[in-house]
Amino acid sequence: MKNERYRQLIEQEARHWGSVQPDPRNPQIWNDDRLFDIFFGKEYRHFLARIDAAGKDVLELGCGEGHLAVELARRGHKVAALDLSPERIQRAKQRAELHTLTHGATFNVGDLNIIDLPRQKFHCVVAHDALHHIYKLDHALDEAKNALKPGGRLIVIDYVGMSGMRKALAAALYALLLTYKPYTEKWALRNRLSTFLAPEAKKRNSLESGSTAGLHPESPFEEISQHSIIKKIRERFTIVEQFSFCPFWYYLAPKVRLPHAWRYQASKWLHEMDTELLSLGMTGAYFFIEAQKT
Ligand SMILES: C[S@@+](CC[C@H](N)C(=O)[O-])C[C@H]1O[C@@H](n2cnc3c(N)ncnc32)[C@H](O)[C@@H]1O
């Protein structure tokens, strides 16, 4: 991709992340603590425990508004965190100040596609729901590996998405069921279906050829590395542990409109259905990996 096009797109990406706000008509699991705990709680606690075991000095990639970095500082880690969006970094600093954890966590703006990281400095590099947005993932992972001390750990929770069939079924159920987004607005979303269904290869072709087919209109790098993250981590690191979770119902759970009293109970049932799908051999849309620098 030409430098000028990359510059325009990455600025657009940074603006998107700086301005994105919770939308009550399109609720997300991570904006609702109880829903997050039902679907991601067990895996997130495991993620934290493995980071605790990896050592004191931690680098977080794509830290967003600093939820994880502040939690890690609270647990006694020394955290350096970075993100593409200056607004998000500003909010992360405010969060750390609010928790009077400014010594344990430092925040900086940085683009993982081009960043140079310090050498052999960290016991652990972590990323939560961030790497699937990184266009030059080879570069970011090489830098992450170099930034680790010998034997250091890369610990990641990220998104690999659902298969095309599963996405089509999820979109059909979303269209049919009563959701927080009214039917009239959902009908307009049919124009976004090709973006929702586009695999990584199609998005990459569009970025290279100057097309917009399959790209998210506000976030051009959305899901750009979803299908290659695991492969690229495995190429560079020795895997200590890997598993996937949340294969299907996690997607619909926050969006379906239910009486408040039933919302969380119904979500627990949907989560149990997800657990059942995993036990039948279905791959989750999210994964956990702990990998070692050897
Ligand atoms: C889905 S959010 C996750 C944020 C945070 N890790 C969390 O779990 O709340 C993805 C984050 O990746 C950041 N990001 C996207 N592209 C990036 C890049 N090239 N370099 C650094 N951060 C990037 C975005 O600004 C955003 O904060």
Side-chain angles (χ1 to χ4, degrees):
M1 191 189 323
K2 295 251 167 55
N3 285 349
E4 181 53 21
R5 177 158 156 82
Y6 176 75
R7 197 185 55 73
Q8 283 173 3
L9 293 178
I10 203 75
E11 280 177 14
Q12 188 183 345
E13 185 77 12
R15 275 198 304 279
H16 165 74
W17 286 111
S19 62
V20 69
Q21 295 287 342
D23 174 359
R25 285 167 312 167
N26 185 22
Q28 305 289 340
I29 282 188
W30 45 88
N31 297 132
D32 180 327
D33 288 347
R34 281 179 74 184
L35 270 192
F36 184 88
D37 194 55
I38 291 168
F39 281 91
F40 293 83
K42 183 164 135 268
E43 290 78 10
Y44 196 73
R45 283 188 286 278
H46 182 67
F47 180 58
L48 292 174
R50 295 310 303 157
I51 301 169
D52 286 345
K56 185 172 163 73
D57 289 310
V58 177
L59 170 67
E60 187 187 358
L61 310 176
C63 65
E65 299 184 353
H67 293 86
L68 173 61
V70 167
E71 172 61 20
L72 294 176
R74 200 185 62 73
R75 297 161 87 100
H77 292 277
K78 188 166 170 240
V79 188
L82 64 91
D83 196 274
L84 179 67
S85 156
E87 289 83 2
R88 292 197 139 203
I89 286 296
Q90 192 51 35
R91 283 179 226 136
K93 285 180 180 167
Q94 286 162 358
R95 181 180 303 281
E97 275 165 28
L98 202 68
H99 290 79
T100 58
L101 286 166
T102 38
H103 298 304
T106 54
F107 296 94
N108 284 292
V109 177
D111 176 1
L112 285 166
N113 292 308
I114 54 170
I115 201 154
D116 285 329
L117 293 171
R119 298 294 184 249
Q120 301 206 359
K121 189 162 180 227
F122 300 99
H123 297 110
C124 182
V125 175
V126 301
H128 183 260
D129 204 19
L131 296 182
H132 66 286
H133 302 295
I134 306 308
Y135 179 55
K136 296 195 175 163
L137 191 57
D138 287 310
H139 173 81
L141 289 174
D142 285 342
E143 285 296 310
K145 188 170 177 181
N146 286 332
L148 282 170
K149 294 175 191 276
R153 303 290 166 109
L154 173 74
I155 305 185
V156 174
I157 282 185
D158 220 308
Y159 175 74
V160 284
M162 296 186 281
S163 65
M165 283 274 284
R166 246 184 281 166
K167 277 189 175 175
L169 179 60
L173 286 171
Y174 181 60
L176 291 172
L177 294 169
L178 186 64
T179 58
Y180 288 96
K181 198 174 278 284
Y183 284 104
T184 43
E185 286 186 32
K186 281 197 282 191
W187 179 240
L189 281 178
R190 71 194 183 286
N191 301 327
R192 301 276 284 266
L193 207 54
S194 67
T195 305
F196 180 63
L197 296 175
E200 175 179 330
K202 179 168 181 182
K203 289 173 187 275
R204 283 192 178 267
N205 276 340
S206 293
L207 285 171
E208 293 301 335
S209 65
S211 150
T212 54
L215 300 183
H216 188 289
E218 288 100 41
S219 173
F221 297 103
E222 176 76 45
E223 300 183 0
I224 195 60
S225 283
Q226 58 175 324
H227 296 141
S228 39
I229 313 179
I230 294 178
K231 178 172 156 280
K232 287 180 188 289
I233 293 176
R234 296 185 79 95
E235 280 166 7
R236 289 168 174 80
F237 295 86
T238 303
I239 302 303
V240 177
E241 187 184 14
Q242 176 186 338
F243 59 85
S244 74
F245 55 102
C246 287
F248 185 75
W249 292 103
Y250 82 95
Y251 176 78
L252 290 161
K255 302 182 190 319
V256 175
R257 186 191 276 269
L258 288 169
H260 190 74
W262 295 357
R263 182 168 172 71
Y264 297 105
Q265 187 52 52
S267 294
K268 284 181 190 162
W269 291 329
L270 294 178
H271 180 249
E272 278 168 25
M273 275 155 63
D274 260 358
T275 308
E276 194 59 35
L277 290 174
L278 284 177
S279 73
L280 293 172
M282 197 179 266
T283 310
Y286 284 82
F287 69 91
F288 166 92
I289 276 190
E290 177 175 352
Q292 186 171 26
K293 173 176 174 171
T294 42

Short mmCIF file of all heavy atoms in Angstrom, two decimals, residues 116-149:
data_model
loop_
_atom_site.label_atom_id
_atom_site.label_comp_id
_atom_site.label_asym_id
_atom_site.label_seq_id
_atom_site.Cartn_x
_atom_site.Cartn_y
_atom_site.Cartn_z
N ASP A 116 8.87 0.86 16.82
CA ASP A 116 10.10 0.21 17.29
C ASP A 116 9.97 0.09 18.80
O ASP A 116 9.84 1.12 19.48
CB ASP A 116 11.33 1.09 17.00
CG ASP A 116 11.70 1.04 15.54
OD1 ASP A 116 11.46 -0.01 14.91
OD2 ASP A 116 12.21 2.06 15.04
N LEU A 117 10.05 -1.11 19.32
CA LEU A 117 9.92 -1.29 20.78
C LEU A 117 11.30 -1.50 21.40
O LEU A 117 12.22 -1.98 20.72
CB LEU A 117 9.03 -2.50 21.07
CG LEU A 117 7.56 -2.35 20.65
CD1 LEU A 117 6.81 -3.67 20.77
CD2 LEU A 117 6.87 -1.28 21.50
N PRO A 118 11.45 -1.17 22.70
CA PRO A 118 12.74 -1.40 23.35
C PRO A 118 13.07 -2.90 23.39
O PRO A 118 12.16 -3.74 23.37
CB PRO A 118 12.53 -0.85 24.76
CG PRO A 118 11.07 -0.70 24.93
CD PRO A 118 10.44 -0.59 23.59
N ARG A 119 14.35 -3.23 23.42
CA ARG A 119 14.78 -4.63 23.35
C ARG A 119 14.86 -5.28 24.74
O ARG A 119 15.36 -4.66 25.69
CB ARG A 119 16.17 -4.73 22.70
CG ARG A 119 16.21 -4.23 21.25
CD ARG A 119 15.36 -5.16 20.38
NE ARG A 119 15.39 -4.84 18.96
CZ ARG A 119 14.36 -4.34 18.26
NH1 ARG A 119 13.21 -4.03 18.85
NH2 ARG A 119 14.45 -4.15 16.97
N GLN A 120 14.37 -6.51 24.85
CA GLN A 120 14.55 -7.38 26.03
C GLN A 120 14.22 -6.68 27.35
O GLN A 120 14.98 -6.75 28.30
CB GLN A 120 15.97 -7.92 26.07
CG GLN A 120 16.32 -8.71 24.84
CD GLN A 120 17.40 -9.74 25.08
OE1 GLN A 120 17.93 -9.89 26.18
NE2 GLN A 120 17.73 -10.50 24.06
N LYS A 121 13.08 -6.00 27.37
CA LYS A 121 12.76 -5.18 28.54
C LYS A 121 11.66 -5.80 29.41
O LYS A 121 11.58 -5.52 30.60
CB LYS A 121 12.32 -3.81 28.03
CG LYS A 121 12.18 -2.80 29.13
CD LYS A 121 12.18 -1.40 28.64
CE LYS A 121 12.02 -0.51 29.85
NZ LYS A 121 11.10 0.48 29.79
N PHE A 122 10.79 -6.62 28.83
CA PHE A 122 9.56 -7.02 29.53
C PHE A 122 9.52 -8.53 29.83
O PHE A 122 10.00 -9.33 29.03
CB PHE A 122 8.33 -6.63 28.69
CG PHE A 122 8.26 -5.15 28.43
CD1 PHE A 122 8.71 -4.63 27.22
CD2 PHE A 122 7.78 -4.28 29.40
CE1 PHE A 122 8.67 -3.26 26.98
CE2 PHE A 122 7.75 -2.91 29.16
CZ PHE A 122 8.19 -2.40 27.96
N HIS A 123 8.90 -8.85 30.97
CA HIS A 123 8.64 -10.27 31.26
C HIS A 123 7.47 -10.78 30.43
O HIS A 123 7.34 -11.98 30.18
CB HIS A 123 8.28 -10.45 32.75
CG HIS A 123 9.39 -10.06 33.67
ND1 HIS A 123 9.34 -8.95 34.47
CD2 HIS A 123 10.59 -10.66 33.90
CE1 HIS A 123 10.47 -8.88 35.18
NE2 HIS A 123 11.24 -9.90 34.84
N CYS A 124 6.59 -9.83 30.07
CA CYS A 124 5.35 -10.27 29.45
C CYS A 124 4.83 -9.18 28.50
O CYS A 124 4.86 -8.00 28.85
CB CYS A 124 4.35 -10.51 30.60
SG CYS A 124 2.77 -11.11 30.10
N VAL A 125 4.39 -9.58 27.30
CA VAL A 125 3.67 -8.66 26.41
C VAL A 125 2.24 -9.17 26.32
O VAL A 125 2.02 -10.37 26.11
CB VAL A 125 4.32 -8.62 25.00
CG1 VAL A 125 3.48 -7.76 24.05
CG2 VAL A 125 5.74 -8.08 25.07
N VAL A 126 1.28 -8.25 26.52
CA VAL A 126 -0.12 -8.68 26.50
C VAL A 126 -0.90 -7.87 25.46
O VAL A 126 -0.55 -6.73 25.15
CB VAL A 126 -0.79 -8.51 27.89
CG1 VAL A 126 -0.06 -9.31 28.94
CG2 VAL A 126 -0.89 -7.06 28.31
N ALA A 127 -1.95 -8.49 24.95
CA ALA A 127 -2.87 -7.77 24.06
C ALA A 127 -4.26 -8.34 24.29
O ALA A 127 -4.43 -9.56 24.33
CB ALA A 127 -2.45 -7.94 22.61
N HIS A 128 -5.23 -7.44 24.47
CA HIS A 128 -6.61 -7.87 24.66
C HIS A 128 -7.46 -7.28 23.55
O HIS A 128 -7.63 -6.05 23.46
CB HIS A 128 -7.13 -7.40 26.04
CG HIS A 128 -8.52 -7.87 26.31
ND1 HIS A 128 -9.63 -7.07 26.15
CD2 HIS A 128 -8.98 -9.08 26.70
CE1 HIS A 128 -10.71 -7.76 26.44
NE2 HIS A 128 -10.35 -8.98 26.78
N ASP A 129 -7.97 -8.13 22.66
CA ASP A 129 -8.91 -7.71 21.62
C ASP A 129 -8.32 -6.61 20.72
O ASP A 129 -9.04 -5.71 20.30
CB ASP A 129 -10.20 -7.19 22.30
CG ASP A 129 -11.41 -7.29 21.39
OD1 ASP A 129 -11.36 -8.05 20.42
OD2 ASP A 129 -12.40 -6.58 21.64
N ALA A 130 -7.04 -6.67 20.47
CA ALA A 130 -6.39 -5.59 19.71
C ALA A 130 -5.68 -6.08 18.44
O ALA A 130 -5.69 -5.38 17.43
CB ALA A 130 -5.38 -4.86 20.61
N LEU A 131 -5.07 -7.26 18.47
CA LEU A 131 -4.19 -7.66 17.36
C LEU A 131 -4.94 -7.87 16.05
O LEU A 131 -4.35 -7.75 14.97
CB LEU A 131 -3.40 -8.92 17.72
CG LEU A 131 -2.41 -8.78 18.88
CD1 LEU A 131 -1.66 -10.08 19.11
CD2 LEU A 131 -1.43 -7.63 18.63
N HIS A 132 -6.25 -8.18 16.11
CA HIS A 132 -6.95 -8.41 14.84
C HIS A 132 -7.13 -7.12 14.04
O HIS A 132 -7.55 -7.15 12.90
CB HIS A 132 -8.29 -9.13 15.06
CG HIS A 132 -9.33 -8.37 15.81
ND1 HIS A 132 -9.27 -8.15 17.17
CD2 HIS A 132 -10.46 -7.77 15.38
CE1 HIS A 132 -10.33 -7.46 17.54
NE2 HIS A 132 -11.07 -7.21 16.48
N HIS A 133 -6.78 -5.96 14.63
CA HIS A 133 -6.84 -4.69 13.90
C HIS A 133 -5.49 -4.30 13.28
O HIS A 133 -5.38 -3.25 12.67
CB HIS A 133 -7.24 -3.55 14.85
CG HIS A 133 -8.56 -3.79 15.52
ND1 HIS A 133 -9.73 -3.83 14.83
CD2 HIS A 133 -8.88 -4.00 16.82
CE1 HIS A 133 -10.73 -4.06 15.67
NE2 HIS A 133 -10.23 -4.17 16.89
N ILE A 134 -4.46 -5.12 13.50
CA ILE A 134 -3.11 -4.71 13.10
C ILE A 134 -2.80 -5.23 11.70
O ILE A 134 -2.71 -6.44 11.47
CB ILE A 134 -2.05 -5.20 14.12
CG1 ILE A 134 -2.44 -4.73 15.53
CG2 ILE A 134 -0.66 -4.69 13.74
CD1 ILE A 134 -2.72 -3.24 15.66
N TYR A 135 -2.61 -4.32 10.80
CA TYR A 135 -2.39 -4.63 9.38
C TYR A 135 -1.03 -5.32 9.19
O TYR A 135 -0.93 -6.34 8.53
CB TYR A 135 -2.46 -3.30 8.62
CG TYR A 135 -2.23 -3.39 7.15
CD1 TYR A 135 -2.99 -4.25 6.36
CD2 TYR A 135 -1.29 -2.57 6.53
CE1 TYR A 135 -2.79 -4.32 5.01
CE2 TYR A 135 -1.10 -2.63 5.18
CZ TYR A 135 -1.84 -3.50 4.42
OH TYR A 135 -1.65 -3.56 3.08
N LYS A 136 0.02 -4.76 9.78
CA LYS A 136 1.36 -5.37 9.65
C LYS A 136 1.66 -6.19 10.90
O LYS A 136 2.51 -5.82 11.73
CB LYS A 136 2.41 -4.28 9.41
CG LYS A 136 2.15 -3.57 8.10
CD LYS A 136 3.30 -2.76 7.62
CE LYS A 136 2.95 -2.22 6.24
NZ LYS A 136 3.76 -1.12 5.81
N LEU A 137 0.93 -7.27 11.01
CA LEU A 137 1.03 -8.08 12.22
C LEU A 137 2.41 -8.74 12.33
O LEU A 137 2.91 -8.93 13.45
CB LEU A 137 -0.09 -9.13 12.21
CG LEU A 137 -0.30 -9.90 13.48
CD1 LEU A 137 -0.60 -8.98 14.66
CD2 LEU A 137 -1.43 -10.91 13.32
N ASP A 138 3.04 -9.08 11.19
CA ASP A 138 4.40 -9.65 11.25
C ASP A 138 5.33 -8.69 11.98
O ASP A 138 6.10 -9.09 12.85
CB ASP A 138 4.95 -9.90 9.84
CG ASP A 138 4.25 -11.08 9.17
OD1 ASP A 138 4.17 -12.14 9.81
OD2 ASP A 138 3.78 -10.93 8.04
N HIS A 139 5.24 -7.42 11.60
CA HIS A 139 6.10 -6.41 12.23
C HIS A 139 5.79 -6.32 13.73
O HIS A 139 6.71 -6.35 14.57
CB HIS A 139 5.89 -5.05 11.55
CG HIS A 139 6.61 -3.95 12.24
ND1 HIS A 139 7.95 -3.69 12.05
CD2 HIS A 139 6.20 -3.05 13.18
CE1 HIS A 139 8.32 -2.69 12.81
NE2 HIS A 139 7.28 -2.27 13.51
N ALA A 140 4.51 -6.21 14.07
CA ALA A 140 4.12 -6.04 15.48
C ALA A 140 4.58 -7.23 16.33
O ALA A 140 5.10 -7.05 17.44
CB ALA A 140 2.61 -5.85 15.59
N LEU A 141 4.44 -8.45 15.79
CA LEU A 141 4.83 -9.63 16.57
C LEU A 141 6.35 -9.77 16.67
O LEU A 141 6.87 -10.19 17.70
CB LEU A 141 4.21 -10.90 15.97
CG LEU A 141 2.69 -11.02 16.15
CD1 LEU A 141 2.15 -12.23 15.41
CD2 LEU A 141 2.31 -11.11 17.64
N ASP A 142 7.08 -9.40 15.60
CA ASP A 142 8.55 -9.42 15.68
C ASP A 142 9.01 -8.44 16.77
O ASP A 142 9.91 -8.76 17.57
CB ASP A 142 9.17 -9.01 14.34
CG ASP A 142 9.07 -10.14 13.31
OD1 ASP A 142 8.83 -11.29 13.71
OD2 ASP A 142 9.20 -9.84 12.10
N GLU A 143 8.40 -7.26 16.78
CA GLU A 143 8.77 -6.27 17.79
C GLU A 143 8.41 -6.76 19.20
O GLU A 143 9.18 -6.59 20.14
CB GLU A 143 8.06 -4.94 17.50
CG GLU A 143 8.65 -4.16 16.35
CD GLU A 143 10.08 -3.71 16.61
OE1 GLU A 143 10.34 -3.13 17.68
OE2 GLU A 143 10.94 -3.96 15.75
N ALA A 144 7.23 -7.38 19.32
CA ALA A 144 6.80 -7.89 20.63
C ALA A 144 7.81 -8.94 21.11
O ALA A 144 8.20 -8.95 22.29
CB ALA A 144 5.41 -8.50 20.52
N LYS A 145 8.24 -9.81 20.20
CA LYS A 145 9.21 -10.86 20.59
C LYS A 145 10.53 -10.23 21.03
O LYS A 145 11.10 -10.61 22.07
CB LYS A 145 9.43 -11.81 19.41
CG LYS A 145 10.25 -13.01 19.79
CD LYS A 145 10.25 -14.05 18.69
CE LYS A 145 11.15 -15.21 19.10
NZ LYS A 145 11.22 -16.23 18.08
N ASN A 146 11.01 -9.25 20.27
CA ASN A 146 12.26 -8.59 20.63
C ASN A 146 12.15 -7.85 21.96
O ASN A 146 13.13 -7.70 22.69
CB ASN A 146 12.67 -7.58 19.55
CG ASN A 146 13.20 -8.28 18.31
OD1 ASN A 146 13.73 -9.38 18.41
ND2 ASN A 146 13.03 -7.66 17.16
N ALA A 147 10.96 -7.35 22.26
CA ALA A 147 10.78 -6.58 23.50
C ALA A 147 10.78 -7.47 24.74
O ALA A 147 10.94 -6.99 25.87
CB ALA A 147 9.46 -5.79 23.43
N LEU A 148 10.59 -8.79 24.52
CA LEU A 148 10.55 -9.70 25.67
C LEU A 148 11.95 -10.10 26.12
O LEU A 148 12.86 -10.28 25.30
CB LEU A 148 9.80 -10.98 25.29
CG LEU A 148 8.29 -10.89 25.25
CD1 LEU A 148 7.70 -12.15 24.61
CD2 LEU A 148 7.71 -10.71 26.66
N LYS A 149 12.12 -10.28 27.42
CA LYS A 149 13.35 -10.88 27.95
C LYS A 149 13.36 -12.36 27.51
O LYS A 149 12.28 -12.91 27.22
CB LYS A 149 13.33 -10.82 29.48
CG LYS A 149 13.39 -9.41 30.06
CD LYS A 149 13.25 -9.50 31.58
CE LYS A 149 13.03 -8.15 32.23
NZ LYS A 149 14.22 -7.39 32.50
#
